[in-house]
Amino acid sequence: MKDRYIPEKQVIENLGVEMEKMDVPPVHARIFILLLMVNPPYMSFEEIQEHLQVSKSSVSKYLNIMLEQGTLDYRTFSGDRRRYFYLNHEKLLNKIYTGASKFSTISGLMENCLREREGAVPEGKNEHLKEISDFFSFLGDGMTKLVNEYHARKLSDHDSQ
Amino acid sequence: MKDRYIPEKQVIENLGVEMEKMDVPPVHARIFILLLMVNPPYMSFEEIQEHLQVSKSSVSKYLNIMLEQGTLDYRTFSGDRRRYFYLNHEKLLNKIYTGASKFSTISGLMENCLREREGAVPEGKNEHLKEISDFFSFLGDGMTKLVNEYHARKLSDHDSQ
DNA sequence: TATTTGGTTCGGGAATAAAAGAACCAATTT
DNA sequence: AAATTGGTTCTTTTATTCCCGAACCAAATA
């Protein structure tokens, strides 16, 4: 077993295509997968660019986007000017979590619709709107609970080890 | 209280902007909101076009997209050639539900990453990848449960009325 | 001081998406 | 038969996204 593992190019392409289907730009997806899979889990700018065979500007662009999002970070080694980029897994999980809170946003939107209709339509004509709003807020609350539950489970797993 | 309620244009614009932020094309979003809020809950092609002040081709396009998705349907009145379009709330909820299953898809993707690394990196170096994968599959399962729970609750609500 | 290294920034081209406009068409009305 | 109605379809315009290459820049090295 080598002390460095870098995923094969074709593996990155295949997984990249899957991520593209979730509306992630091609280069962004490939950088993400590369950093997700590489071991040790960091890579320099040049290594990324070389391995993916894309332009410097694209690498720069998406690394900076990820840095702004907080899902990426970098470390350095003394005597080496290069930055070594790695995924911030904590923030990554966090992002997933907040992404899930979208349900609550929509539920809020629906509630705005309802408020606008108040007094303008007969009572009882709001049932279907209420149902959609309810469903979303139910999902929003449920997601929050799920995330908390996961955290709790993780902590107790940790304790018991 | 009038027998017809049509939301004010500015209300549609405001809510439309919110929907645009969730990657829904502007005209699509506005048609959706208009039909969501109008009472009685249907509208003719011309009414939609007039009220939103957009081109016929755009109205036609997005109505047809929604019809294909099943989230829209239409009814007619005898002696009137026009179609009156309304949202299919059942299908709408259904779509939300299947959208939520995206979590399981991502979990699968992560599992592919893990499989690729098997044997290539030391055991114990896969923890963070495993955690992401676990989290997604946990969320996927949780969502499914939530939806079922909601259905069950709705049914029992219905029974008790 | 000149060159290399490790990137960033700017301008442009290709591809795609959104919306409009106009031509079109079948069914109805005049 | 001519005109109107209720849309659909095709073409064009406009806007946006994605990426690249080239110019650029600051820090380190020669």
Side-chain angles (χ1 to χ4, degrees):
Chain A
M1 202 172 292
K2 311 201 170 172
D3 61 348
R4 183 129 179 94
Y5 163 71
I6 300 182
E8 282 172 41
K9 291 183 181 182
Q10 197 52 55
V11 170
I12 295 179
E13 292 307 315
N14 297 154
L15 295 171
V17 169
E18 293 308 307
M19 270 192 84
E20 283 180 45
K21 289 178 190 163
M22 320 194 238
D23 290 319
V24 180
V27 175
H28 191 152
R30 282 157 183 75
I31 293 176
F32 177 80
I33 291 165
L34 180 55
L35 292 178
L36 187 69
M37 296 189 66
V38 73
N39 184 57
Y42 42 78
M43 244 181 162
S44 74
F45 188 100
E46 207 190 358
E47 283 175 316
I48 296 169
Q49 201 221 325
E50 289 277 291
H51 196 72
L52 297 181
Q53 320 232 64
V54 295
S55 70
K56 284 169 75 175
S57 51
S58 292
V59 174
S60 176
K61 176 175 179 178
Y62 291 107
L63 286 180
N64 282 314
I65 287 176
M66 289 167 161
L67 283 171
E68 275 167 43
Q69 287 180 342
T71 52
L72 184 71
D73 209 341
Y74 62 87
R75 57 169 301 181
T76 52
F77 296 95
S78 86
D80 184 347
R81 196 147 64 94
R82 280 165 291 190
R83 293 184 281 174
Y84 291 83
F85 300 93
Y86 61 90
L87 297 180
N88 181 333
H89 292 268
E90 193 69 24
K91 278 279 173 64
L92 221 50
L93 292 177
N94 223 284
K95 241 197 122 220
I96 297 159
Y97 165 27
T98 52
S101 77
K102 198 169 56 179
F103 293 122
S104 310
T105 310
I106 302 176
S107 149
L109 219 161
M110 293 297 137
E111 273 160 28
N112 285 342
C113 289
L114 277 166
R115 253 192 298 287
E116 286 291 336
R117 282 163 59 113
E118 238 165 58
V121 307
E123 207 39 59
K125 292 287 180 182
N126 284 320
E127 294 317 311
H128 55 293
L129 251 179
K130 269 184 191 152
E131 189 181 346
I132 295 179
S133 173
D134 271 11
F135 188 42
F136 277 113
S137 88
F138 179 82
L139 289 181
D141 292 353
M143 284 299 309
T144 305
K145 270 183 216 151
L146 276 177
V147 173
N148 291 338
E149 200 181 313
Y150 184 82
H151 275 355
R153 202 186 64 167
K154 220 176 61 173
L155 290 177
S156 74
D157 276 10
H158 192 263
D159 285 351
S160 67
Q161 270 165 23
Chain B
M1 200 172 291
K2 310 203 171 170
D3 61 347
R4 182 129 179 94
Y5 163 72
I6 298 181
E8 282 171 43
K9 291 182 181 183
Q10 197 53 54
V11 170
I12 295 178
E13 292 307 315
N14 297 154
L15 296 171
V17 169
E18 294 307 309
M19 270 191 84
E20 284 180 45
K21 288 177 191 163
M22 319 195 242
D23 290 319
V24 181
V27 175
H28 191 152
R30 281 155 183 77
I31 293 176
F32 177 80
I33 291 164
L34 180 55
L35 291 178
L36 187 68
M37 297 189 66
V38 73
N39 184 59
Y42 43 77
M43 244 179 162
S44 74
F45 188 101
E46 207 190 359
E47 283 175 315
I48 295 169
Q49 201 221 326
E50 289 276 292
H51 196 73
L52 296 181
Q53 318 231 66
V54 295
S55 69
K56 284 170 74 174
S57 51
S58 293
V59 174
S60 176
K61 175 175 179 176
Y62 291 108
L63 286 180
N64 282 314
I65 286 175
M66 290 167 146
L67 283 171
E68 274 168 42
Q69 287 180 340
T71 53
L72 185 71
D73 210 339
Y74 61 86
R75 56 170 300 182
T76 51
F77 296 95
S78 84
D80 185 346
R81 197 147 63 96
R82 279 165 293 190
R83 290 184 284 173
Y84 290 83
F85 299 93
Y86 61 90
L87 297 179
N88 181 334
H89 293 268
E90 193 68 25
K91 278 280 173 63
L92 221 50
L93 292 177
N94 223 284
K95 242 195 123 224
I96 297 158
Y97 163 28
T98 52
S101 76
K102 199 169 54 179
F103 293 122
S104 310
T105 310
I106 303 177
S107 150
L109 217 161
M110 293 298 137
E111 275 161 26
N112 286 343
C113 289
L114 276 166
R115 252 190 300 286
E116 285 293 335
R117 281 164 59 115
E118 239 165 59
V121 306
E123 207 39 60
K125 293 286 181 184
N126 285 320
E127 294 317 310
H128 55 292
L129 252 178
K130 270 185 191 150
E131 189 181 345
I132 295 179
S133 173
D134 270 10
F135 188 41
F136 277 113
S137 87
F138 180 81
L139 288 182
D141 293 353
M143 283 300 308
T144 305
K145 270 184 214 150
L146 276 177
V147 173
N148 292 338
E149 200 182 311
Y150 184 81
H151 275 354
R153 203 186 64 168
K154 221 176 59 172
L155 289 177
S156 73
D157 276 9
H158 192 265
D159 286 351
S160 68
Q161 271 166 23

